[in-house]
Amino acid sequence: MKPRLSLQVAAPLLAILVSVVVSSAMLIATKNSPWDVFSVIASKGFSKVYLVETFNRAAPYYIAGVAVAIGFKMNLFNIGTEGQYKLGALIAAWAGAAVHLPAPVHVLFIMVVAMITGAAWAAIPAVLKATRGVSEVISSIMLNGIALGLGAFLLGQWLRMPAKSGFIVGTRPIDESGRLPTLNGLLGSLGLDITSANRVQSFVLVALVVGIVYHVVVWRTRFGYDLRATGSNAEAAEASGVNAKRMIITAMLLSGATAGLVGLNNVMGQAGRYTDISVVNGIGFTGIAIALLGRNHPVGIAFAAVLWAFMDAVQTPLSNADLPKQVTSILQGVTVLSVVIAYEVVRRIGLRQQAASLKREVPTGGAPPPPPMGSEVAPA
Amino acid sequence: MSLIDTAQPLDGPAALGAPAPGARGPLAWLARIPRPLRLAAYLVVGVALLTMARLYTGAGQLTAQGTFQSALELALPIALAGLGGLWAERAGVVNIGLEGMMALGTWFGAYGAIAYGPWTGVLLGVLGGAVGGLLHALATVTFGVDHIISGVAINLLGVGVTEFLTSVSWNGLSAKESPTIPATITKVDLTPFLNGPLRDLSRQRRPVLSDLANLWLAVTANVSLLVVLAIALFPLSWYLLWRTPMGLRLRAVGEDPEAADSLGVKVYRMKYLAVTVSGALSGLGGVLLVYLFSGKFQSGQTGGRGFIGLAAMIFGNWRPGGLIAGAGLFGFMDSMQSQVDETSHALLIVVSLVFVGCAAWTLHRRRWISVGIFLALAAGCWWWYEQTEELPRELIPYFPHITTLLVLVFASQRLRMPAADGRVYRRSGR
């Protein structure tokens, strides 16, 4: 039995409240006014410009969150999303610029290359865990660093556009056929006018597809069932015929392939090529936070990604108003820590309610009831 | 969730580091040598390896005093994080949040040094890390959150807090770093009477002997008191954890909390203590990063050293001695960043020699396929050295990461972690 829905929703709300209280305390301690900060967030954050910014940022966050969540579903910690998406974006940008294809094929080609690269990089910790028993946590963290170095090396030596003065080091630009269009026109025809300077990236649609595929694969296929079963009770799953090693490798490859897509929004958008500016660092780590916040649920992750992106987006109005914009990183950090605590508390309350309801069903003195197998074993 | 799957078959050369106590087989005689002597012997073998590479390549910097000194100073933050991990995991709490606690240490260390003076800075840095540890204990022990998840959250929080504090401190001078810290810690000579003779020996460039003299000078001559303090924490931790009743209780909690509880050990209190000390130690590691290198706080200056420290602890089989060996190795690799290309290039020969050693080991065990693989790897590294002038510069900062990965691949099978490591413990009846 799951805890009641109201409890499940209350947990993240409580966590956000805690983070607001803690960051207010920090603001007061450093002689800033929490009122100023939160009124700027409330008044400016919801204006059109920053909402567009929020959704543009939320799309890669969402994909990163899903990538991490695939691993989490079977207690596999793919901390290596960071390296996987950086390398994925670099190789895809290079390959995408090297070919000339009609538009839909070109777009798909770039995405597939990115996914293969991400999966290949994720294969390293997967194989090490399955064959040598190396913790994927440590190995994937080390591989993040190595990916940064390898990426810089590949870009500097082979993949870069021939140097031109005043140009940032990066790959050659991709043809127009390989770019994702903006959604401004479409939204305009729906009666929502957004100036073209304020691009609405269509990458959000890619995120949508990723979310749907994630839901179908994890909750509607045999593989997904095995994945969740392994996550809930690895021994029971193995006893019922799940091959643990193959599950580890498959889950990591899927996670890596999803991660490969994370960095493509600017590579296939405005910038059209890979540079250190067009593909920013750190989204992989953010993905971990977002998966935790969203409880690995496709809709939960979406809320988490939007929340996180919103807190990023309001940094600009905060700094325009001469307020410490980094307060949002405290908001984010405290939210994550308190949310994982809140979820655990809710889970325990749920267990207690379950025990209490069992006690009510069976009068004292009778034979102990069989545990409700269906709800116990079926993974959440 | 276990960091190491100990049920794996024992194959491959696991003897890269110190072999597990009680090792059977052809290396059993090694275990009979007294431990201090054995550790010293490993050190000499390691230095001899470097000497051989130095003689072959002519890269004199490979075993220079300066190299050893920067290796030591870079190894210490890693080792302190690892020692923090050791405390926590011996009490059964996996601490992946070391990185965040280290970051707190860097910020509070720098802040304290600027506002109040160097030693107060050290104290504040340690306290900052300890607060991070306390948070981790609160989440994992009191609330029973998964250890890895809580650790990841602590890392995010640690970075967030330091970023915010940087932006509101020091008159908003920079959002990324602090001003330079004013005073430094006193430096001392630990064995002043040896300095003269050792310097002479060092100048004579005798194989191995001169290199060992350089190593000794690096550890004893003109070292910061902070370094001395940090080094002293290792024997102290060993003593506390393995020779006192408190240590026995703490380790019992990490092996079997139910049994410990039934004997009256306050399990929660022990875990709180261990994780808080863990945070304090990695906080000190952060302080060292600020004091010994940059001389100021920089956002992101921990650079994954907390994680590498954790790997050093795993490499060291959850023991202080092995941990130091691992941290020394990673620190040496880390110090290559500040070296000339020639030195890091010569590392290829070192690696090649290590592979030859592995080949000899597998030859002894009559694993012919492994012998072939190691010889091919050794030849490959040698060939790489001969064909190139330098290593790709972009990759040099990540040498510790590559080494960590390789070491974990080859050495992870013989390890034994505390039995209840990473398990959430709930007292029954609550």
Side-chain angles (χ1 to χ4, degrees), chain A residues 26-27 30 32 75 77 79 128-139 141-143 145-146 148-150 152-153 156-157 245 285 288-289 292 308 324 326-327 329-330 333-334 336-337 340-341 344-345 348, chain B residues 1 3-5 8 11-12 96 135 139 142-146 148-150 152-154 156-157 160-161 163-165 167-168 175 307-308 310-311 314 392 394-395 398 401-402 404-405 408-410 412-413 424 426:
Chain A
M26 295 278 280
L27 284 169
T30 54
N32 284 289
N75 287 338
F77 292 82
I79 316 269
L128 290 186
K129 183 176 174 80
T131 63
R132 307 287 302 179
V134 178
S135 153
E136 79 281 11
V137 177
I138 302 284
S139 65
I141 288 171
M142 295 306 132
L143 283 164
I146 299 171
L148 275 184
L150 185 66
F153 172 70
Q157 298 292 322
K245 287 188 176 177
F285 290 114
I288 301 170
L292 291 176
W308 204 273
Q326 278 84 358
V327 72
S329 29
I330 293 203
V334 179
V336 173
L337 187 61
V340 293
I341 293 179
E344 186 60 30
V345 170
R348 282 188 187 170
Chain B
M1 136 70 230
L3 275 176
I4 291 292
D5 185 358
Q8 290 290 320
D11 58 347
I96 200 100
L135 271 179
T142 305
F143 289 108
V145 174
D146 182 284
I148 303 271
I149 289 179
S150 165
V152 167
I154 300 263
L156 286 165
L157 185 62
V161 168
E163 275 181 5
F164 170 73
L165 289 175
S167 70
V168 294
F307 298 122
I308 295 176
L310 204 62
I314 294 173
E394 294 89 347
L395 282 175
Y398 303 103
H401 303 74
I402 298 171
T404 306
L405 196 65
L408 284 178
V409 170
F410 287 123
S412 67
Q413 273 81 24
V424 172
R426 295 267 287 152

Side-chain angles (χ1 to χ4, degrees), chain B residues 69-129:
Chain B
Q69 190 156 2
S70 68
L72 170 74
E73 290 175 351
L74 278 163
L76 269 178
I78 295 175
L80 282 170
L83 193 64
L86 183 77
W87 273 81
E89 300 213 1
R90 276 291 170 184
V93 179
V94 172
N95 191 352
I96 200 100
L98 290 168
E99 181 80 7
M101 300 170 198
M102 208 171 186
L104 289 172
T106 56
W107 192 88
F108 282 98
Y111 181 82
I114 291 165
Y116 308 105
W119 285 106
T120 322
V122 174
L123 186 68
L124 273 183
V126 169
L127 285 179

